[in-house]
Amino acid sequence: MTLDMSPEEFRQLGYRAVDLLAEQLASVPNGPARRMLTEEQRQALMYQPLPEQAHSPEALIERCASDILPYPMGNNSPRFFAWVNSPAAPLGILAEMLAAGFNASLAGGDHAGTYVEHGVLNWLKEIVGFPTDAGGILVSGGSMANLTGLAVMRHVQTEGNARTDGLTNESAPMVVYTSDQGHSSIQKAIELLGFGNKHLHRVPVDDQFRMDVSALRAAITADQAAGLRPVCVAASAGTVNTGAIDPLDEIADVCAEAGLWLHVDGAYGAVGILAEQTAGLYRGIERADSISLDPHKWLYVPIECGCTLVRKAQALRDTFSLVPSYLRDDRALPWFAEFGFQQTRGFRALKLWMTIQQIGIQGYRESISRDISLARYLQERIRQRDDFELCAAGPLSITCFRYHPPQASASSLDDLNRRLLEVVQQEGQVFLTSTTLRDEVVLRACIVNFRTMEADLDFLLDTLADAGRRVQGDQS
Ligand SMILES: *Cc1c(COP(=O)(O)O)cnc(C)c1O
């Protein structure tokens, strides 16, 4: 028994695998957004006994075809609007396969993968207006990107040496600010980095869910007076709830005055800087000390691919490198392992390298801008209908709304929307999720999808209204 294969067998299995993906691609536009597994199927996948004996590769690929591929999360569908999950660019899927075959560790070293990763990092720096000599690294996603950026912040902002002493040599507890819409991964990072989440202070937002800068100033002053040490603002360039972009330039002023690190969480929204409708809202992003972005969202590469950029490459290296500075060879390209937590690392850069070139930055400008226009279309449709109410229309591609037929009482709406969402998710024709805004349950549709058309948005509202009427019928 061997894991190895003859080139011919590999070729035949590979063709079959590509055929399966091509069939899936063909069925995407008209199929349901997602299909639910039966309880039996779930159990079968979870509790299959440890396979003692060998299985034939052909049979395993067919089992993928029958038991796994038909039950996806749904994000390749044009009618999937949940969270911030985009479809994968088909070329990116093939790149993922090529990268697996290449099977290099991007810990570093003198192989083509290293130069490709540096190449795509340089492109990402240019997109957000960072200099080419800034530091950067590809990571698994926005959460790891936030953790990495905030780890560098900790390294720089501690009075003592965080690497030897942790936080034990600090004169006062350090405080980090984010808006009350800031992503949960910022809190996770603050907890993991040892600050304690009581030192993550949530700044209130304005009526468009952007950080209120005068409240930020007031919080910094109050915390200083209370003997705490403000060290960082983790601003959002596109919140997950509504796509709000904090006033980055004003926040950069505050950070410059008070000696705070500016981290910008642009996991969803940073690349919205490419869209003509919103480019102006990013003024100041280039002043950030660190930025996270998530190519597996709006740049459409297959999951996973996130990125941390740090203005001062040296700070990123000093946070993670175990190579003492006197041993660093400045002639050789340093290993990525010196710039992040991972040692062995996947070749995430290849799918980005291929996808970015396939569509070009001009192509991204158009596709991101188109998603924003589609969100405007959805918002217009909601305004025109008397059975829906628009709750938040952020500058990017997220719409928050409620099913609110004229006869429904305001107090019944949370329950009504929760129940109709459950029905719609079960049926799977469209897929979206909800969130809470100002203590109300709202439906939330995020469009990061080069396949979505206006007709899909009409279908979304009709499907929701239909489920809403049925749920109401049950109630009365
Ligand atoms: C998606 C997202 C994250 C987390 O990124 P993952 O890739 O899911 O780890 C963080 N912040 C924002 C604003 C996001 O949209």
Side-chain angles (χ1 to χ4, degrees):
M1 250 165 277
T2 172
L3 288 171
D4 212 355
M5 264 181 206
S6 70
E8 190 46 37
E9 188 184 3
F10 182 77
R11 186 172 284 123
Q12 289 312 320
L13 290 167
Y15 288 156
R16 177 65 185 137
V18 168
D19 280 343
L20 288 175
L21 293 176
E23 280 163 30
Q24 203 183 40
L25 212 50
S27 72
V28 150
N30 304 310
R34 81 150 125 195
R35 211 175 272 115
M36 290 303 210
L37 295 121
T38 64
E39 195 47 35
E40 221 173 26
Q41 289 173 307
R42 294 183 186 121
Q43 299 295 320
L45 290 172
M46 269 198 293
Y47 298 112
Q48 181 179 331
L50 181 65
E52 190 64 41
Q53 303 301 327
H55 289 58
S56 87
E58 290 80 7
L60 291 171
I61 287 191
E62 293 318 313
R63 181 114 195 272
C64 276
S66 60
D67 296 1
I68 297 174
L69 294 181
Y71 307 98
M73 185 165 95
N75 43 321
N76 284 330
S77 158
R79 294 167 181 179
F80 181 95
F81 306 100
W83 308 295
V84 188
N85 286 116
S86 57
L91 185 64
I93 299 172
L94 297 176
E96 193 81 302
M97 186 172 79
L98 295 173
F102 191 64
N103 196 33
S105 168
L106 265 289
D110 192 6
H111 56 78
T114 298
Y115 302 100
V116 172
E117 180 156 345
H118 280 291
V120 298
L121 287 169
N122 287 338
W123 292 342
L124 295 175
K125 290 172 208 169
E126 191 171 334
I127 290 174
V128 298
F130 260 23
T132 312
D133 65 1
I137 188 160
L138 295 182
V139 293
S140 57
S143 303
M144 278 307 295
N146 282 333
L147 177 62
T148 306
L150 292 171
V152 182
M153 177 280 289
R154 183 180 74 153
H155 183 75
V156 170
Q157 292 291 57
T158 38
E159 294 160 319
N161 181 337
R163 295 190 60 171
T164 51
D165 306 329
L167 302 183
T168 57
N169 270 352
E170 301 308 301
S171 62
M174 290 179 277
V175 179
V176 175
Y177 302 87
T178 194
S179 84
D180 63 26
Q181 301 290 305
H183 192 263
S184 57
S185 60
I186 292 169
Q187 177 171 338
K188 285 192 195 173
I190 290 307
E191 292 173 2
L192 210 55
L193 291 167
F195 292 103
N197 68 37
K198 70 177 178 185
H199 297 124
L200 177 64
H201 289 185
R202 297 276 181 175
V203 180
V205 292
D206 65 13
D207 60 352
Q208 291 176 66
F209 302 96
R210 298 173 300 197
M211 184 184 285
D212 176 339
V213 180
S214 47
L216 170 66
R217 284 182 189 279
I220 292 173
T221 308
D223 288 339
Q224 281 165 336
L228 303 171
R229 198 160 72 86
V231 291
C232 171
V233 178
S236 304
T239 59
V240 269
N241 263 350
T242 66
I245 300 169
D246 289 338
L248 302 175
D249 208 36
E250 286 174 58
I251 294 172
D253 287 339
V254 174
C255 289
E257 287 160 28
L260 272 60
W261 181 276
L262 175 56
H263 174 77
V264 174
D265 177 2
Y268 157 45
V271 296
I273 197 170
L274 292 172
E276 55 179 359
Q277 300 101 315
T278 49
L281 300 174
Y282 293 82
R283 201 157 42 84
I285 195 171
E286 72 290 345
R287 298 171 65 193
D289 295 291
S290 54
I291 302 179
S292 351
L293 52 161
D294 236 353
H296 68 203
K297 289 177 174 169
W298 234 347
L299 296 184
Y300 298 117
V301 300
I303 292 166
E304 306 170 340
C305 190
C307 176
T308 308
L309 298 176
V310 178
R311 161 179 304 287
K312 293 207 168 82
Q314 190 61 32
L316 177 62
R317 193 175 187 185
D318 288 345
T319 303
F320 291 103
S321 178
L322 290 175
V323 182
S325 9
Y326 63 88
L327 281 184
R328 290 178 191 168
D329 178 354
D330 288 332
R331 290 157 307 172
L333 204 50
W335 283 45
F336 282 109
E338 285 190 55
F339 291 80
F341 188 75
Q342 270 186 288
Q343 180 69 28
T344 303
R345 303 172 60 248
F347 190 11
R348 296 189 181 98
L350 185 63
K351 56 192 171 188
L352 204 47
W353 187 77
M354 290 181 68
T355 309
I356 291 179
Q357 292 183 87
Q358 184 198 0
I359 184 170
I361 293 304
Q362 188 51 35
Y364 275 127
R365 277 191 199 107
E366 284 163 20
S367 80
I368 294 170
S369 175
R370 183 179 162 278
D371 285 354
I372 294 172
S373 300
L374 284 171
R376 299 292 161 273
Y377 174 83
L378 175 63
Q379 290 150 15
E380 201 40 50
R381 301 294 300 165
I382 290 169
R383 284 197 191 94
Q384 285 162 1
R385 293 180 65 137
D386 67 354
D387 51 353
F388 285 97
E389 153 193 17
L390 186 62
C391 303
L396 298 174
S397 61
I398 293 174
T399 304
C400 294
F401 60 111
R402 318 228 264 179
Y403 178 59
H404 185 173
Q407 70 282 10
S409 70
S411 64
S412 68
L413 290 179
D414 278 3
D415 192 50
L416 176 57
N417 279 274
R418 232 183 254 124
R419 292 181 53 202
L420 84 85
L421 185 62
E422 234 169 78
V423 169
V424 166
Q425 288 187 346
Q426 262 319 304
E427 294 176 350
Q429 291 305 306
V430 299
F431 195 87
L432 78 171
T433 45
S434 63
T435 188
T436 305
L437 281 188
R438 304 187 185 100
D439 297 322
E440 288 180 349
V441 175
V442 300
L443 306 171
R444 175 186 168 287
C446 176
I447 304 171
V448 282
N449 199 319
F450 49 77
R451 297 200 173 105
T452 301
M453 316 259 234
E454 289 182 354
D456 297 308
L457 301 171
D458 294 329
F459 182 81
L460 168 69
L461 293 180
D462 290 342
T463 306
L464 288 167
D466 176 66
R469 281 189 296 270
R470 281 184 283 145
V471 166
Q472 276 193 306
D474 293 348
Q475 261 169 343
S476 54

